[in-house]
């Protein structure tokens, strides 16, 4: 089928964007999503400082952003009990690998964001469908999505983890703990709770470490009309995040907390690639002061 003129124009624009230097590409992306051009040489806002990290990443970021390699770091810091059980991390995803997988699992890729496929019933899926999705992920150069340079260090892999469910049999909320400060003292923390992530009523709520529901919005998610009660293991979550963040002046530690357990999700050093709208806008400047 011939492509429509609009599709051809989009394709040409996408191709042209790939030719732009990283700094210009990121500046235009920031202008599009935040509404102003960033100050890359003397950044003041949170998003600007994250953009600067994308352009000049710490050498440690690559291995610790790799969702498989980071498991060694987490194991050494807080122990195996906080790792989601790993089912398989094959060199190649084959029919034989699929046949050995349990009835429920989560398929992920290690080299980018949103490479997640939840499988509740294996019999409702086929190897061909999952292989097609895995191939799509593996062929994606995540660095090219938003020019986060440390992603170039990661060799793409497919892996499979246990499916975590809460006491209701639902996928637990995602607790994204933004940790500012690090070192031996307790960092300043803000917790972004993404609930019903794979459902039809996804919400994003921001709390401080005392579980005060803040009048803040981050990213595309709508806030809940009322705050949720704090998880029973909130203090364990904060302690786990503090230990995992202590080597950095800022990192986002993603955790899951079903059934009074705490499981590690990932470490994110450049959340949203530095182009995440923050509401109200002054939050971008306030968090920028925290990131020193």
């Amino acid at each position: 089928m011939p492509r429509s003129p609009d599709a051809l124009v989009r394709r040409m624009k996408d191709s042209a964007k790939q030719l732009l230097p990283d700094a210009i590409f990121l500046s235009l992306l920031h202008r599009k999503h935040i509404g102003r051009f960033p100050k890359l040489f003397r950044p003041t806002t949170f998003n600007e400082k994250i953009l600067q990290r994308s352009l000049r990443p710490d050498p440690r970021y690559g291995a610790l952003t790799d969702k498989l390699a980071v498991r060694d770091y987490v194991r050494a810091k807080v122990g195996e009990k906080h790792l989601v059980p790993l089912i398989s991390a094959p060199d190649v995803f084959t029919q034989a690998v699929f046949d050995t997988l349990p009835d429920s699992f989560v398929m992920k890729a290690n080299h980018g964001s949103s490479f997640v496929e939840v499988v509740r019933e294996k019999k409702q899926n086929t190897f061909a469908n999952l292989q097609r999705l895995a191939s799509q992920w593996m062929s994606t150069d995540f660095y090219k999505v938003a020019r986060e340079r440390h992603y170039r260090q990661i060799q793409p892999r497919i892996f499979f983890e246990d499916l975590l469910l809460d006491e209701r049999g639902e996928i637990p909320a995602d607790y994204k703990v933004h940790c500012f400060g690090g070192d031996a003292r307790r960092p300043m923390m803000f917790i972004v709770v993404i609930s019903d992530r794979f459902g039809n009523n996804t919400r994003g709520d921001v709390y401080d470490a005392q579980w005060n529901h803040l009048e803040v919005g981050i990213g595309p998610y709508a806030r809940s009309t009322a705050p949720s009660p704090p998880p029973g293991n909130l203090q364990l979550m904060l302690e786990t995040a503090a230990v995992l963040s202590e080597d950095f002046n800022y990192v986002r530690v993603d955790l899951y907390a079903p059934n009074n357990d705490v499981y590690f999700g990932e470490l994110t050093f450049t959340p949203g690639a530095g182009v995440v709208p923050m509401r109200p806008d002054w939050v971008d400047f306030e968090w920028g002061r925290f990131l020193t």
Side-chain angles (χ1 to χ4, degrees), residues 38-81:
K39 294 181 291 183
L40 293 179
F41 296 102
R42 291 188 177 180
T44 56
T45 70
F46 177 74
N47 275 301
E48 288 169 349
K49 291 181 178 181
I50 294 301
L51 284 184
Q52 190 180 62
R53 281 184 166 204
S54 295
L55 293 169
R56 297 198 296 271
D58 185 303
R60 298 172 293 177
Y61 290 174
L64 296 180
T65 299
D66 182 327
K67 294 175 177 60
L68 280 171
V70 73
R71 293 174 67 91
D72 290 335
Y73 178 82
V74 175
R75 187 179 292 110
K77 283 286 188 179
V78 295
E80 184 82 25
K81 64 182 180 295

Side-chain angles (χ1 to χ4, degrees), residues 271-283:
V275 295
V276 178
M278 307 178 81
R279 304 175 300 278
D281 188 53
W282 58 258
V283 178

Side-chain angles (χ1 to χ4, degrees), residues 13-290:
K13 285 183 177 179
D14 289 341
S15 297
K17 288 177 183 177
Q18 296 306 318
L19 299 176
L20 293 173
D22 289 350
I24 295 176
F25 179 93
L26 287 170
S27 294
L28 293 174
L29 199 62
H30 188 277
R31 172 66 175 82
K32 176 181 178 180
H33 291 284
I34 308 300
R36 57 177 169 267
F37 285 105
K39 294 181 291 183
L40 293 179
F41 296 102
R42 291 188 177 180
T44 56
T45 70
F46 177 74
N47 275 301
E48 288 169 349
K49 291 181 178 181
I50 294 301
L51 284 184
Q52 190 180 62
R53 281 184 166 204
S54 295
L55 293 169
R56 297 198 296 271
D58 185 303
R60 298 172 293 177
Y61 290 174
L64 296 180
T65 299
D66 182 327
K67 294 175 177 60
L68 280 171
V70 73
R71 293 174 67 91
D72 290 335
Y73 178 82
V74 175
R75 187 179 292 110
K77 283 286 188 179
V78 295
E80 184 82 25
K81 64 182 180 295
H82 292 298
L83 288 170
V84 179
L86 182 65
I87 299 170
S88 177
D91 292 331
V92 181
F93 181 35
T94 64
Q95 178 72 55
V97 171
F98 177 79
D99 291 342
T100 63
L101 294 172
D103 291 336
S104 63
F105 56 88
V106 180
M107 182 174 80
K108 297 182 177 181
N110 68 325
H111 68 293
S113 177
S114 301
F115 295 151
V116 180
E117 180 69 9
V118 174
V119 176
R120 285 180 172 268
E121 293 184 69
K122 182 179 172 182
K123 64 184 179 182
Q124 300 297 325
N125 293 267
T126 66
F127 166 67
N129 286 338
L130 291 182
Q131 184 190 45
R132 190 177 304 112
L133 181 59
S135 296
Q136 178 184 324
W137 293 348
M138 294 287 281
S139 64
T140 300
D141 184 345
F142 200 75
Y143 151 71
K144 291 183 178 179
V145 175
R147 308 297 177 91
E148 297 163 279
R149 289 179 172 174
H150 53 291
Y151 280 97
R152 294 184 297 190
Q153 303 175 33
I154 304 174
Q155 182 66 36
R157 294 275 301 276
I158 296 295
F159 65 102
F160 302 87
E161 290 180 338
D162 279 2
L163 173 60
L164 299 179
L165 297 174
D166 62 21
E167 65 277 0
R168 302 169 300 162
E170 301 295 335
I171 295 172
D174 195 349
Y175 294 90
K176 299 180 180 297
V177 188
H178 294 258
C179 302
F180 298 88
D183 61 51
R185 56 192 171 85
R186 174 65 69 91
M188 179 183 295
M189 296 181 179
F190 297 95
I191 309 157
V192 180
V193 183
I194 309 299
S195 56
D196 197 27
R197 178 182 173 191
F198 300 99
N200 298 317
N201 191 37
T202 306
R203 291 289 183 268
D205 295 278
V206 184
Y207 299 85
D208 63 17
Q210 291 71 47
W211 206 254
N212 296 303
H213 193 210
L214 305 180
E215 295 285 339
V216 171
I218 296 177
Y221 305 109
R223 297 175 69 248
S224 300
T225 55
S228 62
N233 52 2
L234 176 61
Q235 289 308 310
L236 178 58
M237 286 176 51
L238 296 179
E239 291 166 7
T240 303
V243 174
L244 291 174
S245 67
E246 64 186 0
D247 296 327
F248 310 97
N249 62 342
Y250 166 80
V251 65
R252 195 190 77 200
V253 181
D254 291 6
L255 301 170
Y256 308 103
N259 311 318
N260 281 323
D261 293 316
V262 172
Y263 290 103
F264 170 79
E266 63 181 271
L267 295 180
T268 303
F269 297 94
T270 54
V275 295
V276 178
M278 307 178 81
R279 304 175 300 278
D281 188 53
W282 58 258
V283 178
D284 200 1
F285 291 86
E286 182 176 72
W287 283 28
R289 288 194 295 271
F290 300 152

